[in-house]
Amino acid sequence: MDRRARLQTARLYLIASDRPGGRPLADVLGPALEGGVDLFQLRCKDAADETVLAASEVARELCAAAGALFFVNDRPDLAAAAGADGVHVGQDDMPVSRARQIVGADRLVGLSTHAPAEVDAADADLIGVGPVHATPTKAGRPAVGLELVRHAAAHARVPWFAIGGIDEDNAAAVIGAGAARISVVRAIADAPDPRAAAYRLRRMVETVALHHGPAHAA
C-alpha cells in the first residue's frame, strides 16, 4: 500500500528516541511493531545528525519489514536523507508547506495541534491532538484534557492521533472521547515487555475502529 493508504489504517503510533528506556532501539521497536505499532516516530531532540541518521537506518528497516510507517521528528531534511515516510513538525517549527517542499510530495507531513483552531486549520497529512494529559516529553505545555479529543472527533479533516501521557490506565477514557488512533511514548518505550504493551493498547483502540469505522477517526 502507498503511504496515505497505510496512514488511513494506522491505529497505534509510537514515539521514541534512539535509546528508548535506555535500551537499543531495535530491542524496543522490533517487539513493539510485532505487538501492533504501525507508525513510529524517531524523536531525538538535540542529537547530532549522525546519531539521527544511524537510528533512522535501524528504524526504517524494521518499519519496512513490518509494513509500518516511519517518521522523523522536526527535521524534514533528515527525514528525506533517511528515506523516511514522513516528518512531524510542531506549531513553532517551520510551516507544513515548507516541510512538504523539503521532503517531497510523496512523503507525509504530521503536525502537532493543541487547540480547536489549530485542529480546524491543520493542512498536514495527519495531526497529533494534545497533550491530553501532562507529560514530561512536552514540558511546559499544559494538558488539554478530553475536550480537544472530542473536538477533533467531530471536526478533524485528516487522520489524527490523541497524544500526551496516554497509557493503559487512561487510554479507555481517551478512546471513549472519540480517539480511534493514539500516540504513546513511555507506555511502550519504558515497558518491560514492549510487545505485550503494544498488543494491549492496539486491542483497546481497535475496538473503537471496529465499532465506529473510519468516519470516527477522520
Side-chain angles (χ1 to χ4, degrees):
M1 288 192 293
D2 71 13
R3 288 163 174 152
R4 284 170 177 80
R6 281 186 283 160
L7 174 59
Q8 288 294 329
T9 62
R11 299 287 169 215
L12 183 58
Y13 188 159
L14 171 62
I15 302 169
S17 71
D18 60 317
R19 295 282 300 176
R23 295 173 283 188
L25 179 57
D27 290 359
V28 173
L29 180 55
L33 291 165
E34 293 173 3
V37 164
D38 45 17
L39 201 163
F40 171 68
Q41 180 193 135
L42 180 66
R43 187 175 186 266
C44 296
K45 291 287 189 181
D46 305 318
D49 290 3
E50 293 77 12
T51 299
V52 177
L53 290 171
S56 291
E57 186 172 352
V58 173
R60 186 186 68 247
E61 291 180 1
L62 287 171
C63 288
L69 293 166
F70 165 48
F71 277 55
V72 172
N73 180 258
D74 280 352
R75 295 283 302 274
D77 56 334
L78 294 184
D85 296 297
V87 65
H88 185 90
V89 296
Q91 289 288 328
D92 300 325
D93 299 322
M94 71 177 65
V96 167
S97 58
R98 177 60 182 147
R100 202 184 301 282
Q101 286 177 350
I102 296 171
V103 296
D106 61 326
R107 291 192 171 94
L108 305 172
V109 178
L111 176 69
S112 298
T113 62
H114 316 295
E118 293 174 355
V119 171
D120 297 347
D123 57 349
D125 297 296
L126 66 153
I127 57 174
V129 174
V132 179
H133 303 290
T135 170
T137 62
K138 290 289 185 182
R141 173 72 67 180
V144 299
L146 295 177
E147 282 306 309
L148 190 60
V149 174
R150 295 187 183 101
H151 179 87
H155 299 286
R157 294 170 295 138
V158 297
W160 61 277
F161 294 78
I163 184 172
I166 298 172
D167 57 28
E168 291 179 47
D169 293 330
N170 60 36
V174 178
I175 294 165
R181 300 180 177 90
I182 58 173
S183 298
V184 301
V185 182
R186 293 169 295 155
I188 292 177
D190 291 352
D193 186 342
R195 183 185 184 281
Y199 178 79
R200 290 190 295 266
L201 287 163
R202 176 81 187 210
R203 286 291 299 273
M204 294 174 75
V205 78
E206 276 186 338
T207 301
V208 172
L210 179 65
H211 286 93
H212 296 276
H216 191 68

